[in-house]
């Protein structure tokens, strides 16, 4: 397929915002009728509901119309094909362009009636996001970014550019999540959590990595770290953070891509301090 231009990317950003809003309209009625919502448990990956599937079907249909040449990596479709075995993600790593979507990030929040959930949509090029849109339906908040064009927060008619080069010098507020596997992976991450807690003012675990990344971009959180995330968890949030001025690497300081197994996000001077605490 032909190379996508910057003008194309900006057009895609606007179209992804429209698609995310459409998916939000699909999700909201499901949460208002939780007593009748069908919920299943994916082994080692938490809950999945009929709402996840309905949102994903809608998004994929829209993306195929938008550009049928671009393959789609979607959370529930991947699980259906491979039962969530991440080793099969390698099947997707040779694509130049790829849509990477999470139709409902924060499903456990969603099925318990919490409003802290979102839709996360991204276009990636050679394993790096170039467009990202995250929509929080219950608050009607949009976070979006296009490579080289900045990161933005939109609510109603207000549109604010997200650009903060430095974090607080003290009194940090961080976010994280834990590896879902029990045993050593969980214990390793929990040790890191305790280590950070003794050195940092506060850490939050809110149940949506995509929203956590948006809050770093916005300056609410000073940093974020987690192990075991999937591409659909981080792709959109990563470009939003990068365009807002945050630094992103793997735990070991290596360059991060959407298939990386670990992620650290932070602003100076917090990034260096955080990376020292969670490094493997």
């Amino acid at each position: 397929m032909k190379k996508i231009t910057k003008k194309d990317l900006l057009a895609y950003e606007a179209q992804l915002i429209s698609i995310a809003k459409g998916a939000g309209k699909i999700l909201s009625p499901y949460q208002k009728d939780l007593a009748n919502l069908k919920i299943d448990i994916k082994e080692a990956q938490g809950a999945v509901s009929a709402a996840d599937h309905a949102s994903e079907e809608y998004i994929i249909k829209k993306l195929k119309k938008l550009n049928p040449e671009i393959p789609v990596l979607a959370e529930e479709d991947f699980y259906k094909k491979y039962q969530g075995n991440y080793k099969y993600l390698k099947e997707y790593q040779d694509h130049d362009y790829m849509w990477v979507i999470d139709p409902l990030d924060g499903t456990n929040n969603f099925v318990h009636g919490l409003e802290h959930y979102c839709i996360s949509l991204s276009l990636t090029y050679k394993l790096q996001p170039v467009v990202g849109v995250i929509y929080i339906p219950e608050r009607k908040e949009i976070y979006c970014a296009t490579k080289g064009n900045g990161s933005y927060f939109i609510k109603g008619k207000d549109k604010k550019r997200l650009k903060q080069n430095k974090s607080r010098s003290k009194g940090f507020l961080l976010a994280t999540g834990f590896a879902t596997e029990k045993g050593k992976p969980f214990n390793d991450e929990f040790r890191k959590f305790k280590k950070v807690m003794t050195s940092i003012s506060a850490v939050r675990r809110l149940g949506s990595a995509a929203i956590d990344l948006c809050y770093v971009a916005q300056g609410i959180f000073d940093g974020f770290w987690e192990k075991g995330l999937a591409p659909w968890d981080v792709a959109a949030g990563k470009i939003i953070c990068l365009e807002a001025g945050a630094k992103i690497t793997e735990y070991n300081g290596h360059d991060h891509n959407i298939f990386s197994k670990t992620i650290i996000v932070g602003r100076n001077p917090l990034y260096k301090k955080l990376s020292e605490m969670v490094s493997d």
Side-chain angles (χ1 to χ4, degrees):
M1 61 177 290
K2 68 176 184 178
K3 186 172 176 60
I4 296 174
T5 66
K6 185 175 180 179
K7 183 178 179 181
D8 294 329
L9 294 179
L10 290 170
Y12 281 149
E13 180 185 81
Q15 290 159 327
L16 290 181
I17 289 172
S18 177
I19 293 171
K21 287 181 176 179
K25 290 178 181 178
I26 290 172
L27 291 176
S28 292
Y30 281 98
Q31 200 183 45
K32 290 177 173 61
D33 189 24
L34 289 177
N36 294 308
L37 179 62
K38 185 179 185 299
I39 303 169
D40 295 311
I41 300 298
K42 298 185 293 186
E43 185 178 355
Q45 294 186 40
V48 61
S49 71
D52 296 72
H53 292 298
S55 175
E56 184 167 290
E57 288 172 10
Y58 167 83
I59 293 168
I60 291 175
K61 184 178 179 181
K62 290 291 185 180
L63 293 177
K64 290 296 186 183
K65 286 185 177 180
L66 190 56
N67 189 326
E69 294 185 76
I70 300 177
V72 179
L73 173 56
E75 180 176 11
E76 307 313 332
D77 180 65
F78 178 82
Y79 188 85
K80 181 180 178 181
K81 289 178 180 176
Y82 303 111
Q83 289 69 57
N85 191 331
Y86 284 2
K87 74 178 184 180
Y88 290 104
L89 284 171
K90 65 178 183 292
E91 306 290 336
Y92 296 84
Q93 293 185 14
D94 292 333
H95 297 300
D96 280 351
Y97 289 101
M98 184 166 59
W99 300 116
V100 181
I101 69 171
D102 191 336
L104 200 178
D105 187 52
T107 299
N108 280 315
N109 290 343
F110 182 89
V111 301
H112 286 89
L114 293 175
E115 297 181 348
H116 195 76
Y117 68 90
C118 68
I119 297 112
S120 178
L121 310 177
S122 180
L123 177 65
T124 65
Y125 178 68
K126 294 188 181 298
L127 310 187
Q128 297 293 345
V130 290
V131 180
V133 169
I134 292 173
Y135 178 54
I136 307 175
E138 300 304 322
R139 296 199 288 273
K140 293 181 169 52
E141 295 174 348
I142 299 164
Y143 294 83
C144 58
T146 298
K147 186 176 181 180
N149 196 58
S151 179
Y152 295 88
F153 171 72
I154 304 171
K155 187 164 187 174
K157 294 182 179 179
D158 295 329
K159 183 175 182 179
K160 178 183 177 182
R161 183 159 188 172
L162 304 176
K163 191 67 177 177
Q164 298 179 1
N165 293 320
K166 287 188 176 181
S167 65
R168 302 168 183 87
S169 60
K170 58 183 179 178
F172 299 119
L173 180 62
L174 304 181
T176 190
F178 294 123
T180 53
E181 306 99 320
K182 300 306 178 186
K184 188 175 185 297
F186 176 84
N187 292 334
D188 287 347
E189 290 306 293
F190 195 65
R191 276 193 291 272
K192 289 183 174 64
F193 177 82
K194 290 191 290 185
K195 187 176 182 181
V196 174
M197 279 292 292
T198 60
S199 303
I200 299 295
S201 297
V203 180
R204 299 290 180 261
R205 185 177 186 270
L206 300 181
S208 169
I211 298 178
D212 289 343
L213 291 170
C214 289
Y215 285 178
V216 175
Q218 198 169 15
I220 296 171
F221 291 146
D222 296 289
F224 170 83
W225 84 98
E226 189 163 347
K227 182 176 184 177
L229 292 174
W232 46 81
D233 296 313
V234 299
K238 178 177 180 178
I239 185 69
I240 291 167
C241 282
L242 287 174
E243 289 293 320
K247 183 173 182 178
I248 302 178
T249 68
E250 297 179 349
Y251 279 7
N252 56 17
H254 293 173
D255 290 342
H256 179 276
N257 68 67
I258 62 168
F259 292 97
S260 294
K261 295 180 180 179
T262 62
I263 185 171
I264 300 175
V265 187
R267 303 178 184 281
N268 291 321
L270 187 279
Y271 167 81
K272 186 174 186 293
K273 184 174 183 178
L274 180 59
S275 65
E276 289 171 352
M277 287 187 285
V278 304
S279 173
D280 289 327

